[in-house]
């Protein structure tokens, strides 16, 4: 529902990638105690950056109802494992090693 409200150009690929990233992150990153909306916000931010569709974290924060600093914290936890979070066939426009640091 957050992706619908953010009005992405590539909404479906971002939505699918964000779901996959969130599910994998819960498995391999130390974020299990975090709120689902916070994880969703960080996953959406990572997915749209990887697809080359930059969306300010402030916009994601407003839609997800989560503090920008919380999204940034979770994103930073997920970032070192970014290459493992995406589906194997993901069409990166921005490779995991070049994703924004925050």
């Amino acid at each position: 529902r957050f992706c619908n409200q953010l009005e992405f150009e590539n909404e479906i690929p971002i939505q699918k990638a964000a779901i996959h990233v969130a599910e994998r992150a819960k498995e391999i990153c130390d974020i299990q105690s975090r709120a689902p909306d916070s994880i969703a916000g960080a996953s959406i931010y990572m997915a749209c950056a990887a697809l080359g569709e930059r969306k300010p974290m402030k916009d994601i924060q407003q839609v997800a109802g989560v503090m920008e600093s919380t999204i940034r914290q979770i994103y930073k936890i997920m970032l070192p494992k970014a290459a493992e979070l995406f589906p194997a066939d993901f069409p990166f426009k921005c490779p995991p090693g070049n994703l924004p640091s925050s």
Side-chain angles (χ1 to χ4, degrees), residues 19-29 31 84-87:
I19 291 168
H20 191 276
V21 166
E23 289 172 355
R24 286 286 294 147
K26 287 180 205 172
E27 294 171 9
I28 64 173
C29 298
I31 59 169
E84 302 170 55
L85 298 177
F86 286 90

Side-chain angles (χ1 to χ4, degrees), residues 15-55:
Q15 184 176 8
K16 287 181 179 182
I19 291 168
H20 191 276
V21 166
E23 289 172 355
R24 286 286 294 147
K26 287 180 205 172
E27 294 171 9
I28 64 173
C29 298
D30 188 24
I31 59 169
Q32 293 80 9
S33 63
R34 303 298 186 135
D37 288 353
S38 301
I39 296 170
S43 299
I44 290 168
Y45 183 74
M46 184 174 280
C48 67
L51 275 169
E53 188 168 333
R54 298 291 295 238
K55 188 64 89 169

Side-chain angles (χ1 to χ4, degrees), residues 35 55 57-58 78:
K55 188 64 89 169
M57 203 174 286
K58 184 174 184 168
M78 293 167 43

Side-chain angles (χ1 to χ4, degrees), residues 50-67:
L51 275 169
E53 188 168 333
R54 298 291 295 238
K55 188 64 89 169
M57 203 174 286
K58 184 174 184 168
D59 293 354
I60 296 170
Q61 172 232 332
Q62 289 175 340
V63 168
V66 179
M67 295 297 295

Side-chain angles (χ1 to χ4, degrees), residues 72-83:
R72 187 172 282 111
Q73 277 181 330
I74 296 171
Y75 176 79
K76 285 183 179 182
I77 293 169
M78 293 167 43
L79 189 58
K81 298 190 179 200

